[in-house]
Amino acid sequence: MTELTPIEAFCAPHLARVEERRRKVKAKKVLPLDQIVEGDCIAAMAKMPDKSVDLIFADPPYNLQLGGDLLRPEGSKVDACDDEWDRFESFAQYDDFTRDWLAEARRILKDDGSIWVIGSYHNIFRVGATLQDMGYWILNDVVWRKTNPMPNFRGTRFTNAHETLIWCSKGEKHKYRFNYRQMKALNDDLQMRSDWTIPICSGGERLKDEGGDKVHPTQKPEALLYRILLACTKPGDVVLDPFFGTGTTGAVAKRLQRRWIGIEREDDYIEAAKKRIESEMPLDESAMTTMAEKRSAPRVAFGSLVESGLVPPGTVLTDAKRRWQAKVGLDGSLVSGDHQGSIHQVGKNLQGAPSCNGWTFWQYEDEGELKPIDVLRQRYLAAHKGA
């Protein structure tokens, strides 16, 4: 009898549960593309074919275990995450749940696919250890630094201003997709770092119910999913979100012409997600162009304006004299004839100049008037003051 490796021994009971679920699923396994599957994520994934998904983005329950209501200094209640779906009886129960859904995720993930898991300090370290125990290979841990975090109202700790994302391949020797040049273009031709400064979901993007309350307590910003999908997928790839919530992953995937699958058990979230995704329009083919393969503080990458929607992909920019036009790509790169690159590169090449400040060279049209895109940069900075 062959002796099991430590990883095989650790995974054996959870893989056995996976096999048992698979035996119970008699129907032919199919991919519910561009659909929301209602129900438990583990059971739903058990009905999907092996190695059928290119990317998994998972925002599992944080297991916050809040003790009573959280109040602001003036006495009003904070709309925090205290829903039933986020509660577990013990750490052991949460760990079993994590191992079970990660075992199914590993089975349906393609060998060259990857998985992103996001969490807070309440759960991300437990999830990270389980990922490693189950044979996933950690590629990066990414810190999402929130420009506008919720304050610590009790004044007993530091303001919790970040969440952590763990990006993994299926194993140490497994290939995976990483669109390095697109990430570099999105960051003004600088290598993308593992600390991302993105505001939390707010304003018009934050879904509210009829009473004006948040539909979901931990709705993720579209800019975050935009960056992940642009980094690790291509048009037509299948993206799965097993904890779909209000459908941020599906909305961004549809916009970027990726196929998507969402799994969610809460009716209110499903209804909100359906309406949201139905109203989303895929980008025009001409806007899907991406890169083929210092500055005064605070620095803002042009890609941040694209992610935030201030300069949507497909926008046509021009110089002040309307001699040249350039179209904005998904990753913040510009295309003008045979020229492709950052706002600075393309402006420099078109003029045959040694350098170019793309922020002042490129203009956008606002009610018939041309304005430099630096106006939008200042608007972005004003909206995220204090970042």
Side-chain angles (χ1 to χ4, degrees):
M1 181 176 178
T2 305
E3 185 176 350
L4 297 178
T5 66
I7 287 178
E8 290 172 336
F10 179 86
C11 294
H14 311 289
L15 293 176
R17 287 199 290 270
V18 170
E19 286 301 317
E20 180 63 23
R21 284 192 297 270
R22 292 177 68 186
R23 282 194 292 270
K24 292 179 179 178
V25 178
K26 297 180 180 180
K28 182 180 179 182
K29 288 182 170 60
V30 295
L31 272 184
L33 293 175
D34 305 323
Q35 298 178 46
I36 303 175
V37 180
E38 185 173 358
D40 173 73
C41 69
I42 299 170
M45 285 191 284
K47 299 177 183 178
M48 297 181 189
D50 295 354
K51 301 180 181 180
S52 56
V53 172
D54 295 285
L55 181 79
I56 297 174
F57 173 81
D59 184 9
Y62 286 8
N63 195 23
L64 293 176
Q65 299 179 339
L66 293 176
D69 292 339
L70 184 59
L71 304 178
R72 294 185 175 88
E74 80 283 2
S76 62
K77 183 180 176 181
V78 176
D79 187 11
C81 183
D82 56 0
D83 299 88
E84 185 63 33
W85 53 259
D86 192 58
R87 295 178 182 176
F88 293 81
E89 292 181 0
S90 64
F91 285 132
Q93 185 188 61
Y94 185 81
D95 291 345
D96 283 343
F97 167 73
T98 300
R99 294 184 191 110
D100 283 354
W101 77 258
L102 281 176
E104 284 291 359
R106 185 176 177 81
R107 179 184 64 79
I108 64 177
L109 190 63
K110 292 181 181 177
D111 286 341
D112 60 353
S114 62
I115 180 171
W116 287 78
V117 185
I118 187 171
S120 69
Y121 66 87
H122 302 87
N123 72 320
I124 197 62
F125 301 109
R126 307 189 75 87
V127 174
T130 303
L131 282 163
Q132 290 183 309
D133 287 339
M134 299 189 71
Y136 289 94
W137 188 255
I138 295 180
L139 301 168
N140 275 116
D141 66 322
V142 173
V143 174
W144 165 32
R145 188 167 75 85
K146 305 171 183 179
T147 62
N148 50 345
M150 182 183 294
N152 183 268
F153 293 102
R154 290 174 176 165
T156 56
R157 305 182 187 181
F158 297 110
T159 296
N160 187 25
H162 77 278
E163 290 183 36
T164 301
L165 300 102
I166 301 177
W167 174 38
C168 299
S169 63
K170 284 186 72 171
E172 181 180 3
K173 297 182 179 180
H174 284 258
K175 294 182 179 180
Y176 56 91
R177 170 173 285 275
F178 177 50
N179 300 320
Y180 169 79
R181 290 182 62 84
Q182 293 180 25
M183 288 296 95
K184 190 174 180 181
L186 194 67
N187 197 41
D188 276 359
D189 278 337
L190 293 176
Q191 190 176 75
M192 183 73 77
R193 293 162 43 123
S194 63
D195 53 336
W196 297 355
T197 304
I198 297 174
I200 63 173
C201 188
S202 60
E205 187 183 335
R206 168 66 77 173
L207 300 186
K208 300 287 185 68
D209 60 22
E210 294 180 357
D213 296 322
K214 299 174 185 176
V215 173
H216 194 291
T218 62
Q219 180 183 336
K220 296 301 179 288
E222 293 186 0
L224 188 69
L225 271 299
Y226 185 108
R227 187 173 297 188
I228 290 171
L229 267 58
L230 193 62
C232 298
T233 63
K234 64 183 185 301
D237 278 357
V238 178
V239 179
L240 167 69
D241 187 335
F243 307 97
F244 202 54
T246 52
T248 302
T249 301
V252 176
K254 182 179 178 181
R255 186 186 315 157
L256 298 182
Q257 297 187 16
R258 275 67 167 165
R259 309 303 297 272
W260 58 271
I261 303 169
I263 305 173
E264 180 53 55
R265 69 183 195 182
E266 302 293 325
D267 292 340
D268 290 345
Y269 299 164
I270 291 171
E271 187 63 27
K274 285 181 177 178
K275 292 179 181 179
R276 179 183 189 182
I277 296 170
E278 285 173 2
S279 66
E280 185 67 54
M281 294 295 293
L283 290 171
D284 185 82
E285 287 291 342
S286 62
M288 295 296 291
T289 306
T290 58
M291 288 291 290
E293 181 55 49
K294 85 125 185 180
R295 297 171 177 84
S296 59
R299 195 183 73 81
V300 176
F302 182 63
S304 295
L305 274 61
V306 178
E307 287 177 324
S308 67
L310 281 173
V311 184
T315 298
V316 176
L317 304 178
T318 183
D319 66 294
K321 296 183 179 180
R322 299 184 185 272
R323 295 166 294 178
W324 299 290
Q325 290 187 336
K327 183 164 288 189
V328 179
L330 286 178
D331 54 9
S333 62
L334 300 190
V335 176
S336 179
D338 295 331
H339 300 285
Q340 183 177 12
S342 71
I343 57 174
H344 314 293
Q345 281 182 317
V346 174
K348 178 185 73 172
N349 294 337
L350 287 173
Q351 298 175 89
S355 64
C356 172
N357 182 348
W359 291 107
T360 54
F361 177 77
W362 291 109
Q363 314 275 313
Y364 71 102
E365 192 160 338
D366 182 14
E367 297 182 351
E369 180 183 356
L370 288 181
K371 297 180 181 179
I373 57 175
D374 189 54
V375 171
L376 299 177
R377 175 169 64 165
Q378 299 308 317
R379 187 178 302 171
Y380 181 92
L381 285 169
H384 307 132
K385 189 175 181 181

